Amino acid sequence: MSSLFQNSYYLAINFNAILYGVELVLYGMTMNALVKNRKKWTRTDKFYMWFSTALLFLITIYMSTEAVFGEEMWIVHQDTPGGPIQFLIDNADIWYQTMGTTASVILNLFSDALLIYRMYVVWTSYYVIMFPCFLYVATIGLGIIELYASGKPNADFFVGTAAQLGVAYYTTTISLNIIATGVICGRLMYLGRALEAARNTQGRGKGVVRYTGTLSIVIESALPYSMAGFAFLVAYGIESDISILFGALYGMFTCVSPQLIVLRVVTGQGWTKDQTAQSVSALEFENLGTSRSAAATTAIETAAQSEGTSTMDHKSIGSAHDMV
C-alpha cells in the first residue's frame, strides 16, 4: 500500500461524509412526504418507509467503520512500528471492518432488488427480469463467500484470495447494475416518445411529461450507481491503490440512488405500472392512426392514377385528402 492509497482513503472518508449528508436530506424528505399522507398509507408506503430506514441504518454502519478505521490508523496508532500502512496490514480483518463490509453487501442486495423491481415496473414482464434474477442469486452466494474470505484471520480485502473473490463478486453485482440501468434507460426513452406523441397529437399525456425527462431517466435507472460501480470494478480489478476511493463512491451511491427512486415514488413522480400502461396504449394508438393514414393515402393515390376510368373526380379526391 502506497501513499496514494492513504490519500485515496482520506478522500474516500470525506466523500463518504458529504454523500452521507445528502442521504440524510433525502431520507428526511422521504419521511416528510410519507408522514404528510399517513392517513392514506398503503402497504407500499409502509414498505418504502422501512426500506428507507434500513438503507440509512446500513450506510451509517458502513461509513462509520471506515471513518473509525481511518482515525485508528492515522491518529490513535500513528506510532505503530511500520506506520499507518503496517497498521492497515495487521488489522485489515478487524471485526468492525468485517461488519462494515457485511453492511455494504446487504445494502447492495437491497439496492439490486429494488432495481430488478423497477425493471419489472417499466416492462411489466417477468421474462425481462429472469436473467437479472439469476445474477442476483449468484451475488448472494458470492457475497457470503467474499465476506468469509475477507473476514477470516490475516485476510485482506485488497490482497490475495479475498481480492480474487471480490473481483468475482463485484463483477457479478455490477454487471447486474449495468444491465438494469441499460434496460430501464432504453425502456423509458422508448415509452417517453410514445407519451410525447400522444401529447402532441391528442392532448394526452400532459400530466406525465415529468416522467420522461433526462433527470427522471437518470434517477429511475440509478445511473450514478452503475457508473461508480464500473469505475470501482476497473480500479479494483487492476489492483490500483485508488480503488478505495471509487469503492467509497460506489458504496454511498448504493444507498443514495435507491433513496432517490423511493423519494420520487412517494412524492408521485416515480414511474409506475399505470404510466407504463398509458404509454403502451398511447404507442398503440399512434401506430393505429399512422396505419389508417397510410392506408387512406394509398387509396387516394390509386384513385388518382385511375382517374380516367374512375367515377371519383377531382373534388372527391380533394375531400378524401381533407378527411385524412
Side-chain angles (χ1 to χ4, degrees):
M1 301 295 178
S2 65
S3 60
L4 176 60
F5 180 86
Q6 293 191 64
N7 281 279
S8 298
Y9 198 170
Y10 175 77
L11 290 174
I13 293 173
N14 281 275
F15 277 114
N16 281 349
I18 293 170
L19 291 174
Y20 185 72
V22 173
E23 164 59 19
L24 288 176
V25 172
L26 294 175
Y27 177 79
M29 293 172 67
T30 302
M31 291 299 106
N32 183 57
L34 288 170
V35 169
K36 280 185 177 179
N37 297 312
R38 59 184 179 276
K39 294 182 179 179
K40 301 179 181 178
W41 271 2
T42 63
R43 271 190 275 182
T44 302
D45 293 328
K46 294 178 181 178
F47 167 78
Y48 281 131
M49 181 181 68
W50 290 109
F51 182 81
S52 298
T53 302
L55 291 181
L56 180 63
F57 176 72
L58 291 169
I59 201 63
T60 300
I61 293 175
Y62 167 74
M63 64 89 58
S64 297
T65 55
E66 294 296 305
V68 168
F69 192 80
E71 180 185 12
E72 292 285 319
M73 181 171 61
W74 289 313
I75 300 174
V76 178
H77 299 284
Q78 61 175 324
D79 297 328
T80 297
I85 294 300
Q86 189 60 46
F87 176 84
L88 172 64
I89 295 172
D90 294 339
N91 296 275
D93 60 339
I94 196 169
W95 69 270
Y96 59 81
Q97 278 287 69
T98 302
M99 183 176 69
T101 305
T102 303
S104 177
V105 170
I106 297 174
L107 186 60
N108 222 318
L109 292 175
F110 278 25
S111 301
D112 288 349
L114 180 64
L115 271 183
I116 292 174
Y117 173 70
R118 298 304 293 173
M119 286 176 62
Y120 173 74
V121 166
V122 300
W123 278 93
T124 62
S125 171
Y126 289 107
Y127 294 105
V128 176
I129 63 173
M130 287 180 64
F131 183 63
C133 285
F134 169 77
L135 289 178
Y136 184 77
V137 173
T139 61
I140 296 176
L142 288 171
I144 293 173
I145 296 172
E146 165 61 12
L147 289 175
Y148 170 76
S150 62
K152 65 182 182 180
N154 301 318
D156 189 335
F157 181 80
F158 295 96
V159 178
T161 304
Q164 294 173 355
L165 289 170
V167 170
Y169 166 70
Y170 285 111
T171 297
T172 305
T173 187
I174 293 170
S175 295
L176 170 57
N177 302 156
I178 293 172
I179 290 171
T181 294
V183 169
I184 294 173
C185 276
R187 182 64 167 173
L188 292 185
M189 287 189 288
Y190 175 74
L191 295 179
R193 289 192 299 107
L195 285 175
E196 187 65 21
R199 185 179 70 86
N200 292 335
T201 58
Q202 296 294 325
R204 300 165 61 195
K206 294 181 180 179
V208 292
V209 173
R210 65 179 179 272
Y211 300 101
T212 62
T214 302
L215 181 62
S216 65
I217 292 176
V218 169
I219 294 175
E220 289 280 350
S221 64
L223 184 59
Y225 176 35
S226 295
M227 291 178 64
F230 180 75
F232 167 64
L233 180 60
V234 172
Y236 188 62
I238 64 176
E239 299 183 356
S240 171
D241 285 343
I242 204 173
S243 62
I244 186 68
L245 173 57
F246 290 122
L249 293 175
Y250 176 59
M252 295 306 296
F253 277 118
T254 303
C255 178
V256 172
S257 287
Q259 191 64 62
L260 279 168
I261 295 175
V262 172
L263 177 60
R264 284 181 58 83
V265 171
V266 300
T267 55
Q269 299 180 38
W271 198 276
T272 64
K273 291 181 182 179
D274 291 337
Q275 270 78 51
T276 302
Q278 183 178 4
S279 299
V280 172
S281 176
L283 184 60
E284 292 174 350
F285 178 84
E286 179 190 7
N287 291 338
L288 180 61
T290 301
S291 299
R292 287 179 175 176
S293 177
T297 301
T298 302
I300 293 170
E301 291 174 350
T302 302
Q305 291 173 358
S306 57
E307 182 180 2
T309 57
S310 174
T311 58
M312 180 179 288
D313 57 14
H314 291 287
K315 183 176 180 181
S316 61
I317 292 175
S319 300
H321 270 294
D322 293 339
M323 291 174 64
V324 176

